[in-house]
Amino acid sequence: MSKVIASEAEFEAVMSDIDSELQRNGIKIHGRELAAAMSMGKRLGTSLRLGPNTPPPIPGNYTGESLVAHVYAWIQARYGDRLRIDLTHFYSVTRLGGDVWIVRVPEVLGGPIRFFAEVDLAKQHRTFVAHRPGSPVLPLEVNVLRLVEHMTAASALICSSLDKRTLVNYIFRAHRAMALMKLHRRDEPLRYAICSDLTVSARAALEGSNAHGQSRWASLQAAEKALKLFLKEKSIPHPRTHDIENLIARAKQAGLRVSDPQTAAKVQCSASVRYEGDTGGIDAAVTSHQSAVELMHDIASALWLRPNATTS
């Protein structure tokens, strides 16, 4: 028989106990809203409907959706902004309308996923799907223009069709590479290092001419680590080197197919580029960064993408 919370004081006591339990169990703060709601349902012996778009809590009503809303509100009041989590694999760069923008490569939970470019940034799309047995599987929807930092409605409207198609394809490939890498090598230190290097590269590319060299060096580091990950997976020793052409040659001998023959030339730079300021300008920084991302896609696909298979 299910129990019912009768008062605000009882609710507060139960929530304090639940939160302490979540702390002891090592549940991270950003995961406590759902965890607390699930724990509440278990304690009361009742099934609670969880998910987004929960109606506001009804004062004094601690049943059904109102109870879920009370739980969410309690956790939000206690932890505020600490509940936010940046679901991003890494930050990248893209050209839109001739300008360079920072763009997120998102970590999308679930699938399948449909990437598209919609200029109406206020339009809402399907970001949560509750699958029911026997019902069609609906894809999650990701508007790539909303992934672009500081994108405005006016800027979105003047994006060319080519810019939008290019961005959709780029985000799809970058996301697929990281999704494959996380699926098969979740705890691989090189995976985290690659994402960190790419984010440093993207941020430096837009910091100004004095940071373009640092951006290129970070891209080189990301490409180098991706290649070393490939060689590690193939049990092939690799030298301690920053020579991308050498590493690519070794990887090709083990079966890697590099989509762009000019990858090594686009990514390679000397260590001194970090101190030489504007070496090649922002164009060279963007080209180096995006070439490293494409190389990462080639590597992840070669290692883990089955022939004729698609991924979310």
Side-chain angles (χ1 to χ4, degrees):
M1 182 177 178
S2 61
K3 303 175 184 177
V4 176
I5 291 179
S7 67
E8 181 178 354
E10 183 182 357
F11 173 77
E12 286 288 335
V14 173
M15 281 303 302
S16 293
D17 190 51
I18 286 175
D19 193 47
S20 295
E21 181 183 79
L22 296 178
Q23 289 176 354
R24 291 193 299 272
N25 292 337
I27 304 300
K28 294 181 179 179
I29 287 176
H30 62 253
R32 288 191 191 169
E33 282 179 291
L34 286 176
M38 292 171 65
S39 180
M40 179 66 79
K42 185 176 180 180
R43 287 181 179 223
L44 299 182
T46 187
S47 177
L48 296 176
R49 183 173 177 270
L50 309 181
N53 304 319
T54 301
I58 301 171
N61 184 340
Y62 299 102
T63 61
E65 289 186 326
S66 180
L67 174 58
V68 174
H70 277 293
V71 171
Y72 289 169
W74 192 96
I75 294 293
Q76 289 164 7
R78 172 154 294 194
Y79 294 109
D81 287 345
R82 290 200 65 190
L83 292 168
R84 296 183 180 181
I85 181 171
D86 186 2
L87 291 175
T88 301
H89 285 300
F90 64 90
Y91 287 82
S92 188
V93 287
T94 187
R95 282 195 177 276
L96 295 171
D99 292 315
V100 178
W101 301 72
I102 296 285
V103 60
R104 291 196 307 117
V105 176
E107 181 176 354
V108 184
L109 305 179
I113 305 163
R114 183 172 76 89
F115 293 96
F116 58 93
E118 166 61 61
V119 297
D120 183 356
L121 302 180
K123 188 174 181 179
Q124 297 300 306
H125 299 284
R126 192 164 44 242
T127 57
F128 178 86
V129 175
H131 296 305
R132 294 178 175 83
S135 300
V137 177
L138 300 175
L140 297 169
E141 298 176 326
V142 178
N143 180 5
V144 297
L145 290 178
R146 294 186 66 175
L147 302 176
V148 180
E149 277 196 354
H150 310 305
M151 174 56 63
T152 64
S155 292
L157 285 172
I158 62 172
C159 287
S160 69
S161 296
L162 177 59
D163 279 346
K164 289 184 287 187
R165 286 197 304 271
T166 301
L167 181 58
V168 167
N169 184 59
Y170 181 72
I171 293 297
F172 168 78
R173 290 165 67 83
H175 172 268
R176 178 164 68 175
M178 292 313 305
L180 285 168
M181 202 175 292
K182 183 173 182 180
L183 176 65
H184 294 277
R185 295 293 180 269
R186 173 181 291 271
D187 297 322
E188 169 58 60
L190 285 172
R191 180 175 75 85
Y192 295 101
I194 291 166
C195 290
S196 177
D197 287 336
L198 288 171
T199 295
V200 168
S201 167
R203 294 295 183 193
L206 269 74
E207 282 183 11
S209 58
N210 290 333
H212 290 159
Q214 182 62 54
S215 174
R216 291 181 60 192
W217 178 254
S219 296
L220 170 71
Q221 290 289 303
E224 176 187 329
K225 287 164 185 165
L227 285 162
K228 289 179 178 178
L229 174 60
F230 179 86
L231 294 171
K232 177 182 176 182
E233 289 292 317
K234 296 294 184 177
S235 301
I236 298 173
H238 54 78
R240 294 174 61 87
T241 180
H242 301 308
D243 187 341
I244 295 298
E245 188 171 2
N246 180 306
L247 292 170
I248 287 178
R250 289 171 180 265
K252 282 183 174 180
Q253 290 176 354
L256 177 64
R257 300 177 66 178
V258 179
S259 56
D260 181 1
Q262 298 301 312
T263 294
K266 292 176 178 177
V267 174
Q268 191 66 62
C269 60
S270 66
S272 63
V273 76
R274 293 172 291 179
Y275 318 112
E276 294 173 354
D278 194 5
T279 56
I282 195 168
D283 288 340
V286 171
T287 296
S288 179
H289 178 99
Q290 293 186 339
S291 295
V293 172
E294 289 296 338
L295 177 61
M296 182 180 67
H297 179 266
D298 291 339
I299 288 169
S301 299
L303 289 173
W304 301 299
L305 185 62
R306 298 187 307 275
N308 301 320
T310 59
T311 65
S312 58

